[in-house]
Amino acid sequence: MGNQLDRITHLNYSELPTGDPSGLEKDELRVGVAYFFSDEEEEVDDRTPSDCGFTKDHSPTEEEGPFSVSEVEYSAFCSQECIFSKLRENEDLNVYAAKTLLTMCKPGDLLELVGTAQAPHWVIYAHDDQVIHLHKGGEIRKDSLLEVSGGRRGRIVNSRYRFRPLPPDLVMQNAVGHVGLRREEICWTNSESFAAWCRFGKREFKAGGEAHSAEQQYFLKVHLSGSGVHTLVFRSLEDMIRERRRVDASGILKELSLVNGGKD
């Protein structure tokens, strides 16, 4: 395996290996050494709920919500283990206005801001109305949720990924410790990967943080109403996240590189 110490001494702080929450480490260190940033984050502007594709559920005031939005549903597996689930039949996918969402959050919560035909923007809730996130400009920042949300609504997605979460104080330590990093220092390709890494501490969320092997594959199942389930296969969690977000942003399912003939 070579000298593992020599392999990590040249890395900067943001790429040092992160301990698995389970306390079980693999024999082989899986550290990403190639920094790159993808400008895939959507522009944020001021729009009304209807402009963003939201429809109002029964509720006394416009600000309270909840709202529903038409969106693609997914489940994902690493080999046979389910690691991600976004299925309306299993969870409440309603979203809320930012002001309402603030009353529901605790420090360390994972939040997802969504809109129709947009890649979702993920943030870590800090305190008051402050969140820490990978900004579309290529910087990890601490900003007001009300400003970051723009016209979008949001929800708490602590359980979207099935990994064991870190304690809230460690989630906040991960997030706060990276505020101010800029494009050349960032080893996450989108806001979701950064926020999920803060909460779960998994190297797989980092660019190049996972060793590719023939034995390990990721399966993304795209659930389409009335037309079955489309399955895609990926070699890394990072690749799977990027493709899923591309589908969310484009809304065009026919562009997917479908496997298994398209239906299960």
Side-chain angles (χ1 to χ4, degrees):
M1 290 176 57
N3 190 327
Q4 292 182 340
L5 180 60
D6 289 343
R7 297 170 56 190
I8 66 173
T9 51
H10 67 287
L11 303 178
N12 83 7
Y13 170 74
S14 65
E15 261 308 280
L16 289 178
T18 305
D20 190 298
S22 67
L24 300 176
E25 291 292 340
K26 305 296 184 183
D27 290 337
E28 178 71 15
L29 288 178
R30 296 178 296 166
V31 234
V33 296
Y35 300 131
F36 62 92
F37 178 81
S38 172
D39 286 321
E40 67 175 50
E41 293 302 329
E42 69 292 342
E43 294 293 332
V44 179
D45 54 12
D46 295 324
R47 288 175 288 181
T48 65
S50 58
D51 290 335
C52 290
F54 300 110
T55 57
K56 187 72 180 304
D57 288 350
H58 296 294
S59 179
T61 70
E62 173 143 357
E63 283 301 324
E64 291 179 1
F67 297 89
S68 61
V69 61
S70 177
E71 54 190 324
V72 181
E73 298 179 33
Y74 307 93
S75 57
F77 299 79
C78 180
S79 298
Q80 300 299 315
E81 179 185 4
C82 181
I83 61 169
F84 177 99
S85 178
K86 178 187 174 185
L87 298 174
R88 197 171 297 276
E89 65 182 27
N90 296 334
E91 63 177 307
D92 179 9
L93 295 183
N94 284 330
V95 292
Y96 299 83
K99 287 183 179 178
T100 303
L101 193 59
L102 285 173
T103 68
M104 306 163 63
C105 298
K106 302 184 299 296
D109 278 349
L110 196 55
L111 309 184
E112 178 187 47
L113 304 174
V114 301
T116 299
Q118 301 176 55
H121 191 70
W122 288 47
V123 304
I124 293 291
Y125 181 72
H127 57 81
D128 298 328
D129 75 332
Q130 300 294 298
V131 295
I132 297 172
H133 65 124
L134 175 51
H135 188 265
K136 60 184 176 63
E139 179 183 4
I140 296 176
R141 295 174 26 169
K142 187 175 184 180
D143 291 309
S144 163
L145 176 61
L146 298 179
E147 295 177 359
V148 171
S149 62
R152 291 171 296 184
R153 270 48 183 168
R155 57 193 166 210
I156 300 172
V157 288
N158 289 338
S159 300
R160 181 68 55 79
Y161 283 97
R162 301 296 182 86
F163 302 123
R164 183 187 302 175
L166 297 171
D169 59 331
L170 292 184
V171 176
M172 292 306 305
Q173 180 177 312
N174 280 342
V176 172
H178 290 79
V179 171
L181 289 186
R182 303 190 66 84
R183 182 185 304 268
E184 63 276 4
E185 303 171 291
I186 291 173
C187 49
W188 299 273
T189 57
N190 53 65
S191 62
E192 178 177 335
S193 292
F194 170 68
W197 175 83
C198 288
R199 181 164 178 84
F200 301 105
K202 290 283 190 178
R203 300 188 191 101
E204 289 87 338
F205 288 109
K206 293 183 176 184
E210 180 170 22
H212 295 233
S213 67
E215 295 77 20
Q216 181 167 289
Q217 291 183 319
Y218 290 87
F219 300 90
L220 178 66
K221 295 183 178 293
V222 184
H223 298 255
L224 302 176
S225 177
S227 58
V229 176
H230 293 288
T231 302
L232 298 90
V233 180
F234 300 92
R235 294 290 299 279
S236 71
L237 179 60
E238 179 199 0
D239 290 342
M240 186 179 72
I241 291 173
R242 183 186 295 111
E243 178 69 2
R244 201 196 74 245
R245 292 172 61 81
R246 190 188 70 81
V247 173
D248 285 336
S250 68
I252 302 175
L253 294 172
K254 66 182 180 181
E255 291 185 359
L256 292 172
S257 302
L258 297 176
V259 185
N260 300 336
K263 291 187 179 181
D264 284 348

